[in-house]
Amino acid sequence: MEKQVKEKNELWEWTKALLIAFAIAAIIRYFLFTPIAVDGESMMPTLENGDRMIVNKIGYKIGEPKRFDIVVFHAPEQKNYIKRVIGLPGETLEYKNDQLYINGEPIDEPYLDAYKSKITEGTLTEDFTLKDIDVSINDVIPEGYIFVMGDNRRYSKDSRHIGLVDQKEIIGNTSLIFWPFSDIKIVK
Protein backbone atom coordinates (compact mmCIF):
# COMPACT_ATOMS: atom_id res chain seq x y z
CA MET A 1 0.00 0.00 0.00
CA GLU A 2 2.80 2.41 0.93
CA LYS A 3 4.54 1.62 -2.38
CA GLN A 4 1.41 2.57 -4.37
CA VAL A 5 1.13 5.90 -2.53
CA LYS A 6 4.82 6.58 -3.15
CA GLU A 7 4.42 5.80 -6.91
CA LYS A 8 1.36 8.09 -7.13
CA ASN A 9 3.27 10.92 -5.41
CA GLU A 10 6.23 10.43 -7.76
CA LEU A 11 3.93 10.45 -10.80
CA TRP A 12 2.23 13.62 -9.53
CA GLU A 13 5.62 15.31 -8.95
CA TRP A 14 6.75 14.47 -12.52
CA THR A 15 3.44 15.73 -13.93
CA LYS A 16 3.77 19.02 -12.03
CA ALA A 17 7.38 19.45 -13.19
CA LEU A 18 6.40 18.89 -16.83
CA LEU A 19 3.43 21.28 -16.60
CA ILE A 20 5.62 23.98 -15.07
CA ALA A 21 8.29 23.44 -17.76
CA PHE A 22 5.70 23.74 -20.55
CA ALA A 23 4.22 26.87 -18.95
CA ILE A 24 7.65 28.52 -18.67
CA ALA A 25 8.48 27.60 -22.28
CA ALA A 26 5.16 29.06 -23.48
CA ILE A 27 5.71 32.30 -21.53
CA ILE A 28 9.24 32.68 -22.93
CA ARG A 29 8.09 32.04 -26.50
CA TYR A 30 5.01 34.25 -26.32
CA PHE A 31 6.45 37.22 -24.42
CA LEU A 32 10.25 37.19 -24.71
CA PHE A 33 11.82 35.28 -27.61
CA THR A 34 10.56 33.30 -30.57
CA PRO A 35 12.22 31.53 -33.49
CA ILE A 36 11.71 32.61 -37.09
CA ALA A 37 12.83 31.15 -40.40
CA VAL A 38 14.10 33.43 -43.17
CA ASP A 39 11.85 32.86 -46.19
CA GLY A 40 13.29 34.13 -49.45
CA GLU A 41 16.34 36.00 -50.64
CA SER A 42 15.43 39.62 -49.85
CA MET A 43 18.05 39.90 -47.08
CA MET A 44 20.94 38.24 -48.93
CA PRO A 45 23.88 38.22 -48.50
CA THR A 46 23.35 39.03 -44.80
CA LEU A 47 20.71 36.32 -44.31
CA GLU A 48 20.18 33.22 -46.44
CA ASN A 49 16.89 31.53 -47.28
CA GLY A 50 16.23 28.96 -44.53
CA ASP A 51 18.34 30.60 -41.82
CA ARG A 52 16.68 30.21 -38.44
CA MET A 53 16.89 33.16 -36.07
CA ILE A 54 15.80 34.19 -32.58
CA VAL A 55 13.50 37.23 -32.39
CA ASN A 56 13.84 39.41 -29.29
CA LYS A 57 10.25 40.45 -28.55
CA ILE A 58 10.96 42.66 -25.53
CA GLY A 59 13.60 45.01 -26.95
CA TYR A 60 11.12 47.45 -28.49
CA LYS A 61 8.74 47.30 -25.55
CA ILE A 62 11.40 49.18 -23.57
CA GLY A 63 13.28 50.88 -26.41
CA GLU A 64 12.95 52.18 -29.96
CA PRO A 65 14.16 50.76 -33.28
CA LYS A 66 17.58 51.98 -34.35
CA ARG A 67 18.90 52.50 -37.85
CA PHE A 68 20.14 49.25 -39.42
CA ASP A 69 18.42 46.98 -36.86
CA ILE A 70 17.05 43.85 -38.47
CA VAL A 71 13.37 43.65 -37.53
CA VAL A 72 10.51 41.21 -37.95
CA PHE A 73 7.07 42.72 -38.49
CA HIS A 74 3.54 41.86 -39.58
CA ALA A 75 3.27 42.78 -43.27
CA PRO A 76 0.05 43.67 -45.10
CA GLU A 77 0.00 40.24 -46.83
CA GLN A 78 -0.69 38.48 -43.51
CA LYS A 79 2.94 37.36 -43.40
CA ASN A 80 5.86 38.25 -41.21
CA TYR A 81 8.69 40.05 -43.02
CA ILE A 82 12.29 40.41 -41.95
CA LYS A 83 13.97 43.64 -43.12
CA ARG A 84 16.51 46.25 -42.09
CA VAL A 85 15.49 49.60 -40.55
CA ILE A 86 16.71 52.39 -42.85
CA GLY A 87 14.64 55.45 -41.89
CA LEU A 88 13.31 56.58 -38.52
CA PRO A 89 10.49 58.95 -37.51
CA GLY A 90 11.12 62.62 -38.33
CA GLU A 91 13.74 61.89 -40.98
CA THR A 92 13.92 62.56 -44.70
CA LEU A 93 15.29 59.75 -46.82
CA GLU A 94 16.67 59.63 -50.34
CA TYR A 95 18.76 57.32 -52.51
CA LYS A 96 20.85 58.88 -55.25
CA ASN A 97 23.60 57.11 -57.22
CA ASP A 98 23.44 54.10 -54.86
CA GLN A 99 24.03 56.34 -51.83
CA LEU A 100 21.67 56.65 -48.84
CA TYR A 101 20.98 60.19 -47.64
CA ILE A 102 19.25 60.83 -44.31
CA ASN A 103 18.26 64.46 -43.72
CA GLY A 104 20.51 65.35 -46.66
CA GLU A 105 23.63 63.72 -45.16
CA PRO A 106 25.27 60.66 -46.79
CA ILE A 107 25.10 57.53 -44.62
CA ASP A 108 27.39 54.53 -45.11
CA GLU A 109 25.85 51.05 -45.35
CA PRO A 110 28.86 48.77 -44.77
CA TYR A 111 26.71 45.60 -44.78
CA LEU A 112 26.11 46.21 -48.53
CA ASP A 113 29.77 46.54 -49.56
CA ALA A 114 30.25 42.86 -50.46
CA TYR A 115 27.04 42.88 -52.52
CA LYS A 116 27.80 46.14 -54.33
CA SER A 117 31.21 44.81 -55.42
CA LYS A 118 29.50 41.96 -57.34
CA ILE A 119 27.25 44.25 -59.41
CA THR A 120 28.57 44.65 -62.93
CA GLU A 121 26.00 47.09 -64.27
CA GLY A 122 23.59 49.54 -62.74
CA THR A 123 23.14 50.17 -59.04
CA LEU A 124 22.04 47.99 -56.15
CA THR A 125 19.45 50.56 -55.03
CA GLU A 126 17.62 52.67 -57.59
CA ASP A 127 17.17 56.40 -57.00
CA PHE A 128 14.08 57.46 -55.02
CA THR A 129 12.78 59.82 -52.35
CA LEU A 130 10.02 59.28 -49.81
CA LYS A 131 7.69 61.35 -51.96
CA ASP A 132 8.26 58.86 -54.84
CA ILE A 133 7.05 56.09 -52.53
CA ASP A 134 3.98 57.85 -51.11
CA VAL A 135 2.97 61.40 -52.01
CA SER A 136 1.11 61.78 -48.70
CA ILE A 137 4.34 61.37 -46.70
CA ASN A 138 5.61 64.85 -47.62
CA ASP A 139 9.25 63.65 -47.50
CA VAL A 140 9.35 63.10 -43.72
CA ILE A 141 8.73 59.77 -41.98
CA PRO A 142 5.85 60.39 -39.53
CA GLU A 143 6.03 59.56 -35.82
CA GLY A 144 5.30 55.92 -35.07
CA TYR A 145 6.58 54.64 -38.44
CA ILE A 146 9.83 53.34 -39.89
CA PHE A 147 11.16 52.78 -43.40
CA VAL A 148 12.58 49.28 -44.01
CA MET A 149 14.48 47.64 -46.87
CA GLY A 150 15.95 44.24 -47.61
CA ASP A 151 19.69 44.03 -48.20
CA ASN A 152 19.11 42.40 -51.59
CA ARG A 153 17.70 45.69 -52.89
CA ARG A 154 16.92 44.52 -56.42
CA TYR A 155 14.78 41.62 -55.18
CA SER A 156 13.21 42.86 -51.96
CA LYS A 157 9.59 43.69 -51.29
CA ASP A 158 9.95 46.38 -48.66
CA SER A 159 8.81 49.93 -47.79
CA ARG A 160 9.31 50.94 -51.41
CA HIS A 161 6.40 48.60 -52.23
CA ILE A 162 4.37 48.10 -49.03
CA GLY A 163 4.85 51.58 -47.57
CA LEU A 164 6.05 52.62 -44.14
CA VAL A 165 5.84 50.13 -41.28
CA ASP A 166 3.78 51.06 -38.24
CA GLN A 167 5.95 50.44 -35.18
CA LYS A 168 2.96 48.68 -33.57
CA GLU A 169 3.38 45.95 -36.22
CA ILE A 170 6.97 45.17 -35.20
CA ILE A 171 7.29 41.79 -33.48
CA GLY A 172 10.90 42.37 -32.47
CA ASN A 173 14.47 42.58 -33.64
CA THR A 174 16.86 39.79 -34.49
CA SER A 175 20.55 39.31 -34.91
CA LEU A 176 21.26 35.69 -33.90
CA ILE A 177 21.28 32.90 -36.47
CA PHE A 178 21.03 29.57 -34.65
CA TRP A 179 20.52 27.21 -37.62
CA PRO A 180 22.06 25.78 -39.72
CA PHE A 181 24.54 24.87 -37.02
CA SER A 182 27.53 25.63 -39.27
CA ASP A 183 26.29 29.23 -39.71
CA ILE A 184 25.66 30.15 -36.06
CA LYS A 185 26.56 33.82 -35.71
CA ILE A 186 25.43 37.28 -34.73
CA VAL A 187 24.70 39.42 -37.78
CA LYS A 188 25.01 43.18 -37.98
Side-chain angles (χ1 to χ4, degrees):
M1 179 82 145
E2 190 176 309
K3 187 176 181 178
Q4 282 181 329
V5 170
K6 196 173 192 177
E7 285 177 1
K8 281 184 179 180
N9 280 341
E10 189 173 329
L11 178 63
W12 173 242
E13 291 301 316
W14 274 104
T15 303
K16 282 193 315 188
L18 286 172
L19 289 172
I20 290 169
F22 283 125
I24 291 171
I27 289 168
I28 288 171
R29 182 170 178 156
Y30 187 76
F31 293 107
L32 305 176
F33 304 99
T34 192
I36 190 168
V38 176
D39 182 19
E41 299 178 346
S42 72
M43 284 297 292
M44 284 181 57
T46 308
L47 304 175
E48 302 284 334
N49 185 39
D51 282 349
R52 304 244 189 280
M53 304 186 76
I54 299 291
V55 178
N56 174 353
K57 296 173 108 177
I58 58 171
Y60 296 146
K61 302 235 185 297
I62 56 176
E64 297 287 322
K66 295 175 188 62
R67 184 173 342 282
F68 305 141
D69 283 356
I70 298 174
V71 296
V72 178
F73 61 95
H74 300 298
E77 293 89 18
Q78 306 305 313
K79 289 177 66 176
N80 292 334
Y81 278 15
I82 183 165
K83 304 291 178 194
R84 190 178 295 276
V85 176
I86 302 297
L88 300 168
E91 295 180 336
T92 64
L93 184 147
E94 177 182 16
Y95 267 90
K96 189 167 35 174
N97 298 322
D98 223 3
Q99 174 65 54
L100 168 63
Y101 293 90
I102 300 290
N103 297 328
E105 297 294 321
I107 303 292
D108 288 332
E109 295 179 280
Y111 52 88
L112 295 178
D113 290 344
Y115 213 37
K116 283 182 178 182
S117 66
K118 295 177 184 174
I119 294 176
T120 56
E121 58 183 73
T123 59
L124 179 60
T125 310
E126 75 279 355
D127 293 354
F128 72 89
T129 66
L130 286 174
K131 201 165 221 145
D132 297 332
I133 304 303
D134 184 345
V135 294
S136 70
I137 293 175
N138 202 22
D139 277 344
V140 176
I141 300 171
E143 283 302 314
Y145 290 86
I146 58 172
F147 188 94
V148 298
M149 293 177 77
D151 291 355
N152 189 355
R153 302 289 167 79
R154 291 181 173 186
Y155 304 101
S156 176
K157 189 172 188 181
D158 48 41
S159 286
R160 296 171 292 174
H161 309 96
I162 64 170
L164 298 175
V165 174
D166 189 327
Q167 289 183 20
K168 294 175 194 159
E169 297 299 322
I170 298 175
I171 297 167
N173 66 327
T174 183
S175 61
L176 175 66
I177 297 174
F178 71 89
W179 191 262
F181 194 67
S182 60
D183 293 338
I184 290 177
K185 65 182 171 187
I186 294 179
V187 294
K188 297 190 185 322

